[in-house]
Amino acid sequence: MLGLKATMTIIDNSGALIAECVNVLKSKSTHGMARVGDEIVVVIQQARPIPATALASTTALKVRRGDVRRAVVVRTKKEDRRPDGRFIRFDDNAAVLINNKKELLATRINGAVSADLRLRGWAKIASIAPKVV
Amino acid sequence: MNPLQKNIRATSTHIARSFTRHFASKADAEVAKPYPFSKNAIILPSSPEPLPPSLLKGTAIMAHVKNTLPPPAAKELLSTLFHPSHPSALRPGSIISLTLAHAPTNFAGVLTGVRHRGPDTSFVLRNVVQRTGVEMRFFVGSPEIKDIKVLTRAGEKGTKRMRRAKLTYLRDDASKMNAISASVRKAV
């Protein structure tokens, strides 16, 4: 249940570390709160320093602190319901960065993601993740 | 048409309708076996057991629901493993491994608490997956649960008895959870 001002870790290798939610897209049914599989707009609060090779290149992905980007929520601390009545809760909130065309910006994901991603149309992210719970 | 015949037809259809039974599950429907001595014999499904008059008056309706609502596999679990006071009931702190129908197909973890609500009984398993704590709440009556394997029982010989019914303190205790998840990985 991530709304405005919610912080989450970015678990891909794009370079961003922590992001803060600024807007939840498609929020008619979710009352402005994002759950697993929802697209949100985030501001990057902490990012890894960009290596010199990436700085020099024009095509490399450069994610800096203060960037406004889109992300997909992959883990929530608030329990989420599965169709059979099961609930799943993680110990933290996590997301991965995407672009306007709903494609992943990074190449790898580290950490577990929720299996609800497949149910909500993000099978691509679920397939890259090392562990789907 | 002979009016007497008309009455007979009406009553026979009425009887047939009263005999139609809505089976609680597919398993119950398959129990109705064909008549072995003739292929053409028409076998009406047996009528359900008549409800006792006290139940129709309104006594002990929830007890009746508790007995009839869950499927037999779930009833077995509810009366032994997830019963509040059965001698072989699972105590919090036990390590359990589940086989499920949908993703994730296997989930193992420490039992952090059982919520006893009759047919709606549920339990929470906690584990550390890829350095993140994950808690899942499962319902005992769910057909999703294919198999429950008890890896360690808390309170039995050699294992510690937990002094709480709900082990929510494990959420803040990383060292204990790391030890538990290591033993879960070894046991599975």
Side-chain angles (χ1 to χ4, degrees), chain A residues 3 6 13 17 32-33 41-42 46 48 74 80 101 110-111 114-116 128:
Chain A
N13 64 348
L17 293 169
M33 292 287 164
V41 181
V42 298
Q46 258 184 52
R48 281 205 195 91
V74 299
D80 206 357
K101 296 184 202 125
N110 13 293
S114 175
D116 289 325
I128 296 177

Side-chain angles (χ1 to χ4, degrees), chain B residues 1-76:
Chain B
M1 194 172 60
N2 188 356
L4 242 136
Q5 262 185 345
K6 189 175 167 191
N7 280 339
I8 290 165
R9 260 165 97 266
T11 41
S12 67
T13 48
H14 169 73
I15 289 164
R17 266 204 216 104
S18 71
F19 274 122
T20 51
R21 178 171 155 194
H22 298 287
F23 293 108
S25 64
K26 267 195 188 157
D28 291 347
E30 283 158 19
V31 164
K33 287 189 185 126
Y35 186 64
F37 304 109
S38 167
K39 280 185 205 169
N40 303 324
I42 303 163
I43 307 111
L44 292 169
S46 59
S47 54
E49 278 175 31
L51 297 173
S54 62
L55 191 65
L56 291 169
K57 250 197 278 173
T59 342
I61 291 179
M62 287 319 291
H64 176 79
V65 168
K66 212 168 159 176
N67 283 323
T68 50
L69 187 63
K75 244 175 117 172
E76 171 76 36

Side-chain angles (χ1 to χ4, degrees), chain A residues 75 81-82 84-92 110-112 115 118 130-133, chain B residues 100 102-104 106-107 126 129-139 142 144 171:
Chain A
R75 290 200 297 250
R81 204 159 190 264
R82 295 270 163 91
D84 71 319
R86 274 186 286 164
F87 283 99
I88 185 161
R89 236 185 69 99
F90 295 88
D91 272 5
D92 66 345
N110 13 293
R118 282 208 196 97
K131 182 81 186 170
V132 180
V133 185
Chain B
L100 306 160
H102 293 130
N106 294 303
F107 192 80
R126 185 180 169 82
V129 177
Q130 293 260 333
R131 296 176 305 277
T132 338
V134 182
E135 281 184 14
M136 280 195 92
R137 176 177 288 279
F138 300 95
F139 286 83
S142 168
E144 280 274 317
R171 289 181 194 157

